[in-house]
Amino acid sequence: MRDDVLELLRGANRHWSSSLGAILRELLAAAGGAAELLAQLPEQSPDATAATWLTILGRAVARGEAAPEALHPRVATVAIVLLRNEFVVRGVPTAPDDVLVEIVDEVYLPLVRQRGATPS
C-alpha cells in the first residue's frame, strides 16, 4: 500500500508541478473551493479523486494492509488533500519528496491502519 500511495502522490506532484499544473493551481486558488468550478476540472472533481483513492485503499484492505473501516471517501483522500494543501495554501511550486513520504508515513498509513482499532 505504501508504494501505491507514494506512486499516486508522486504522479500528482509531477502533474501539479508542471506548466499545466501551475494553471490548475491558479484555478484552484481562484476557485476558493467553489464546487461548480472544481467540478469542471475532471481530475479535480471530488468523485473522481475519491474513486481512485478508494480503489487503492480497497485493494489494501483486501490484502490486509488497511482496516475495512478506512473505506470512507474522506479517509481515503486524506493524502491527496494534504498534498493539494501544499500547493494551494502554502503556494509551493513543487512538494519535496520528503514531504510526500511524511504525508504517507506519518498521517495516511497510521490513519488507515488504525481506523478500526479500539483504544486500549
Side-chain angles (χ1 to χ4, degrees):
M1 173 175 51
R2 182 179 189 271
D3 291 342
D4 292 342
V5 173
L6 274 171
E7 182 179 327
L8 277 177
L9 285 183
R10 286 176 175 144
N13 191 38
R14 282 189 302 274
H15 179 68
W16 291 344
S17 298
S18 70
S19 299
L20 176 59
I23 294 168
L24 282 173
R25 291 192 313 269
E26 291 297 321
L27 285 172
L28 287 171
E36 308 82 42
L37 177 58
L38 295 178
Q40 299 302 313
L41 304 170
E43 54 204 30
Q44 301 303 317
S45 82
D47 292 339
T49 300
T52 300
W53 285 87
L54 284 166
T55 298
I56 294 297
L57 191 52
R59 291 177 184 158
V61 167
R63 292 188 304 261
E65 296 177 316
E69 296 82 4
L71 284 173
H72 184 282
R74 290 194 190 278
V75 173
T77 59
V78 162
I80 197 70
V81 169
L82 289 172
L83 176 59
R84 188 178 300 149
N85 184 63
E86 293 294 314
F87 287 96
V88 177
V89 176
R90 294 178 184 246
V92 300
T94 190
D97 199 64
D98 62 323
V99 169
L100 305 181
V101 170
E102 183 178 82
I103 288 170
V104 173
D105 291 346
E106 302 300 325
V107 179
Y108 195 73
L109 293 179
L111 175 65
V112 301
R113 287 180 175 154
Q114 297 299 316
R115 184 75 178 158
T118 55
S120 303

